[in-house]
Structures are given as C-alpha cells and as structure tokens.
Amino acid sequence: MLQLRHLHTNIPAKLPSPTTTTGKASCLQTLSLVSPESCKKDVLAKACNLKKLSIRGQMAAFLEARGGISNLEELKCLEHLKLLNDALYMNKSLHIPPAFFRLVRTVKKLTLADTKFPWSEADRLGQLESLEVLKLKENAFMGDTWRPEVGGFSQLQVLWIERAELETWEASNLCFPILRQLVLISCDKLNAVPLELADIPNFHKMKLDHTSKVVKSAKDILERKISKNINFKFSMFPPETESKATQ
C-alpha cells in the first residue's frame, strides 16, 4: 500500500491510524474523499507527500483551534485542497481559523462548499501566499456584502463564485492584482461586478451563468477593455434574448 499514489472514493473514507509512525512515508499524492475525523496527525504525517486532498463531512470540530485542521501542517507538498461541509446537520456557525494561511501555505487551488463562513472572514483566504485558484461553491460564504481588503489574494488568477447570496461586491483592482478569470454561477442576487476589475491588466475572461443582474456592469468592463485594445472574452448563459429589440 505504500506504493499507492491516488485514492478516490465516492463517499468519505474513514482511515485508520498507521500501525507504526516510523519507517518510510507513503507515496500517496491524491486522497479523495476522506472524513474530517480521518485527518489525524499520525495519518497525515504518514501521507506527507499528498498534493491533493478532499475532505467531506461535518466540519465544525475539524475547524476548531485544536481540531484536525491544525494537522494539515504536516502536508508540506499540498497544492489542491477541498473542504466540503455536510450542512444538513449543521448546528453551529463555522469560522476560518486565523492561522489557516500558515497551515496550508503551499495550497494553490482551494475549493469550499457549504461551509457558510461569513464574508468578513474571506480576507483570511487572501493571506494564502500561493493561492492561484479559489472556487467558492454553494454557500461557501454567507451574507450579502463582500468588501475585500487591498493587499490580499496577491497570486489569485481564477475566482469562481457559485450559488452565493451575495448582493453587494465592492473591490478595487488592488484587491486581486493579477486576476485572469472570473466565473459567476447562479449568483442571482448580485447587483454588479466591480467596475474596477477592468483595471487589472491580466483580467481577460469572464463567464456568467444564470447571474443576470450583473450583465450591465459586466458589459461596462468589456467596453473598458475594448477601449484599451485589450482582448477580453465574455460569455453569458442564458444568452440575452432579442425581446427588447422586437418590442
């Protein structure tokens, strides 16, 4: 089993502790899915070569100061991390640990789902010095307003927000200095995309899917890019109807 490199399961696996903490580390590079309870210090120390880790289950205890999330520090090669909360039996609010950036400092791609963190804590993700892709799936954050601080998300290139209750998003080009791509899916309450994103030099692609309220602001960004002779790819679904033209 030490030679196994990739382990995928349809339901969260519950991993036993290793029979010995000495000897050669496993060659495991992908572990998906596992339960939060499996992320014990001795388990992750043995799987220290992991590059991809997906965790699914009830995250409340896992995210506490002395919870399993502190054991992620054992994974010095971790690049892709998914935290998928089982919200069905959720009976307390979840919070991003203040030391999260220190525990997963090598992570390049982070996916969150049903964690229901407050938007006010999103800047803690901005401290992740290696983060390039951030996917915020259904109810990753809760609340109607996001005002990210300037200076975070210094390496973020792809931002994906899906099924959020977000209504107001205020940000300058300095909040996501090298952002390349923005994807908004089923964010039907969001009123606008920050126009300042048009001033990000690398920003060249935006996709809207069932996020109709932001279309005008998205087109304003497109026009600003075009006025600067910048190639910008903009797509939306469903496409605009021609009903206005025929009225």
Side-chain angles (χ1 to χ4, degrees), residues 100-163:
F100 188 68
F101 74 97
R102 178 177 56 82
L103 300 172
V104 292
R105 63 175 69 250
T106 60
V107 167
K108 295 181 179 181
K109 182 177 180 180
L110 176 64
T111 301
L112 304 175
D114 283 319
T115 43
K116 299 185 178 181
F117 296 130
W119 278 109
S120 59
E121 295 181 1
D123 286 323
R124 295 179 182 178
L125 303 183
Q127 299 175 11
L128 294 173
E129 56 194 29
S130 301
L131 188 63
E132 297 178 359
V133 178
L134 177 59
K135 290 191 173 185
L136 305 177
K137 297 296 186 73
E138 184 170 4
N139 294 324
F141 283 86
M142 297 295 287
D144 57 15
T145 303
W146 184 25
R147 297 185 178 92
E149 295 179 358
V150 171
F153 299 102
S154 62
Q155 299 302 313
L156 190 67
Q157 298 181 39
V158 179
L159 177 59
W160 177 306
I161 305 177
E162 181 176 347
R163 297 186 183 278

